[in-house]
Amino acid sequence: MNFSSKLLEQAVEEFGRLPGIGKKTALRLVLHLLQQNEQEVYRFTETINTLKSNVKYCRKCFNITDEQECEICTSPKREKDIICVVEDTRDVMAIENTNQYTGTYHVLGGLISPLDGVGPSDLRIEELIERIQGSGVSEVILALSATMEGDTTIFYIYKRLREFNLKISTIARGISFGGELEYVDEVTLGKSILTRVPYERNIG
Amino acid sequence: MNFSSKLLEQAVEEFGRLPGIGKKTALRLVLHLLQQNEQEVYRFTETINTLKSNVKYCRKCFNITDEQECEICTSPKREKDIICVVEDTRDVMAIENTNQYTGTYHVLGGLISPLDGVGPSDLRIEELIERIQGSGVSEVILALSATMEGDTTIFYIYKRLREFNLKISTIARGISFGGELEYVDEVTLGKSILTRVPYERNIG
């Protein structure tokens, strides 16, 4: 693309770095922002800066929150002895939307992916183990995407948790293979939490 | 969607205001930015702020530029007596990519759309007329989208320009190159039969 302005080109480049945003879409978004008044554009950028500067992660489950601990971890209604391990905040929101789960969460912040240079130490796996040690946790549900990275992460966490006296389960493979967790419909996702099976049965 | 953080919700809302970005995509983009380091996020927002604060429009054709006049308007190679009227910068880029046009442009900054509250005075139509008055412009090409808004705008500009001694044309409408006849919509196919051109001109 030949841009008539260097500033325009730079803004399009920045937007084009976002996942799923190509050059043409980036240009459309930038031109849209240019048509807004200054106040609206600054509100857009300020909101992002504020989030980045002030974002907090729950000290128990590492979900994004505005407090020290998230609403789910502090709620007396949630079963504290069940932990559902997920990749990120989107998965917490997706599972909460099913209204099928009353336990707590643990947000890993990603999946093990050697190709992308993400190893176990880049995720909050040690924090999960610390959280389980000496606590009354009785069950860990591994609710990760049914992808290569998800399976790898499930296997790694399973190996690390085997020493504890825990029920370890994965959500049922009612979700389609290769499917991303966030895009699964609520009924399927809810069912797959209800019909979770012991990990041994899944690999057996 | 139930957000675990107000800051997160606000950022998602801001992204969701962009055209073609739904709530889920907005959340994906915000979480992606959150995973970047502060420097990268601030570069993203700063680039947008800088563009908004410093953007210039060519004083002749109103294309986005970093100078007082754009490269096309100042180029001695471009024919100054032909003006191609387009909706926005994207159309200039699209036509430039064809390498078929050697005249200049006039960027309207939108199309007449009463439903969206956009009238002729919101566009740079008066500037186009001023530009033509007393100048040596011999031809105006109206290269606007083949939509209701595009047709309305073409009709309005045509009426305003009729008094000048000008050749006024619109870009050809018909079936696209590589298009299979059976998949072309009826309106386009009907029009392209009515506005058929001598074979010699098509290969010329």
Side-chain angles (χ1 to χ4, degrees):
Chain A
M1 274 204 251
N2 289 317
F3 291 90
S4 56
S5 152
K6 199 82 196 151
L7 293 176
L8 179 67
E9 184 171 8
Q10 283 164 352
V12 170
E13 235 169 56
E14 286 295 330
F15 261 99
R17 265 189 256 272
L18 296 174
I21 306 288
K23 271 279 166 82
K24 279 203 172 183
T25 307
L27 178 59
R28 190 156 51 95
L29 299 180
V30 170
L31 290 180
H32 173 86
L33 278 176
L34 265 182
Q35 283 189 336
Q36 312 306 305
N37 62 44
E38 294 218 339
Q39 213 183 340
E40 281 173 302
V41 174
Y42 294 151
R43 195 189 56 210
F44 175 82
T45 53
E46 258 313 290
T47 308
I48 297 165
N49 285 341
T50 307
L51 173 67
K52 183 62 191 172
S53 308
N54 300 310
V55 67
K56 287 199 196 80
Y57 296 94
C58 172
R59 61 182 172 187
K60 270 194 179 151
C61 74
F62 296 94
N63 193 11
I64 295 172
T65 178
D66 294 331
E67 312 296 329
Q68 293 243 308
E69 269 182 36
C70 75
E71 277 179 29
I72 294 169
C73 285
T74 51
S75 166
K77 284 183 191 147
R78 309 296 296 230
E79 299 168 67
K80 301 294 185 311
D81 59 326
I82 306 180
I83 296 177
C84 181
V85 177
V86 294
E87 182 183 346
D88 66 20
T89 296
R90 278 179 295 178
D91 302 329
V92 173
M93 287 166 70
I95 294 174
E96 284 300 288
N97 272 342
T98 68
N99 287 320
Q100 298 285 347
Y101 181 64
T102 53
T104 59
Y105 293 92
H106 190 86
V107 179
L108 292 177
L111 295 174
I112 296 172
S113 175
L115 283 176
D116 301 317
V118 182
S121 61
D122 298 313
L123 309 177
R124 282 141 193 164
I125 294 175
E126 292 309 318
E127 287 88 341
L128 172 66
I129 289 159
E130 272 173 41
R131 204 176 147 189
I132 290 166
Q133 270 165 346
S135 75
V137 174
S138 63
E139 181 173 1
V140 171
I141 305 167
L142 302 170
L144 302 179
S145 290
T147 58
M148 182 93 92
E149 291 79 16
D151 281 347
T152 308
T153 312
I154 286 174
F155 185 64
Y156 180 86
I157 296 178
Y158 173 70
K159 275 202 307 179
R160 295 292 306 270
L161 295 185
R162 228 170 7 189
E163 56 174 300
F164 299 101
N165 184 23
L166 280 178
K167 201 171 139 196
I168 302 172
S169 54
T170 62
I171 54 172
R173 286 288 152 86
I175 60 178
S176 53
F177 220 84
E180 302 260 5
L181 205 74
E182 61 188 288
Y183 296 118
V184 175
D185 71 276
E186 292 176 12
V187 179
T188 309
L189 191 54
K191 278 268 180 199
S192 63
I193 290 175
L194 289 176
T195 62
R196 62 188 182 272
V197 291
Y199 185 60
E200 292 88 343
R201 270 182 52 202
N202 247 352
I203 53 167
Chain B
M1 273 204 250
N2 290 318
F3 290 90
S4 57
S5 152
K6 197 81 197 150
L7 292 176
L8 179 66
E9 185 171 8
Q10 283 163 352
V12 170
E13 237 168 55
E14 285 296 331
F15 262 99
R17 264 189 255 273
L18 297 174
I21 305 288
K23 271 280 166 81
K24 279 203 171 183
T25 307
L27 179 59
R28 190 156 53 93
L29 298 181
V30 171
L31 290 179
H32 172 86
L33 278 176
L34 266 181
Q35 283 188 337
Q36 312 306 306
N37 62 42
E38 294 218 342
Q39 213 183 340
E40 281 172 302
V41 174
Y42 293 151
R43 193 190 55 210
F44 175 80
T45 54
E46 258 314 290
T47 307
I48 297 165
N49 285 341
T50 306
L51 172 66
K52 183 63 191 172
S53 308
N54 300 311
V55 67
K56 286 198 195 79
Y57 296 94
C58 171
R59 62 183 171 184
K60 269 196 181 150
C61 75
F62 297 95
N63 193 13
I64 296 172
T65 178
D66 294 332
E67 312 296 329
Q68 294 244 308
E69 269 182 38
C70 75
E71 278 179 28
I72 294 169
C73 284
T74 52
S75 165
K77 284 183 190 145
R78 310 295 296 230
E79 299 168 66
K80 301 295 186 307
D81 60 326
I82 306 180
I83 297 178
C84 180
V85 177
V86 294
E87 182 182 346
D88 65 19
T89 296
R90 276 179 296 177
D91 302 329
V92 173
M93 288 165 70
I95 294 174
E96 283 299 289
N97 272 341
T98 67
N99 287 321
Q100 297 287 346
Y101 182 64
T102 52
T104 59
Y105 294 92
H106 190 86
V107 179
L108 292 177
L111 295 175
I112 296 172
S113 174
L115 284 176
D116 301 317
V118 182
S121 60
D122 299 314
L123 310 177
R124 283 139 192 164
I125 294 176
E126 292 310 318
E127 288 88 341
L128 172 65
I129 289 159
E130 272 173 42
R131 203 176 148 189
I132 290 167
Q133 272 164 342
S135 74
V137 174
S138 63
E139 181 175 0
V140 170
I141 304 168
L142 302 170
L144 303 179
S145 292
T147 58
M148 183 96 89
E149 290 80 15
D151 282 345
T152 308
T153 313
I154 285 173
F155 185 63
Y156 180 85
I157 296 178
Y158 174 71
K159 276 203 305 178
R160 295 292 307 270
L161 295 186
R162 229 169 6 183
E163 55 174 299
F164 299 100
N165 184 25
L166 279 176
K167 200 171 139 196
I168 303 171
S169 55
T170 61
I171 54 172
R173 291 183 184 172
I175 60 171
S176 54
F177 278 85
E180 304 246 13
L181 212 69
E182 59 190 294
Y183 298 120
V184 176
D185 68 279
E186 289 159 33
V187 180
T188 305
L189 192 53
K191 280 267 182 199
S192 65
I193 291 173
L194 288 176
T195 61
R196 63 191 178 273
V197 290
Y199 182 63
E200 297 85 62
R201 267 185 58 200
N202 248 350
I203 53 169

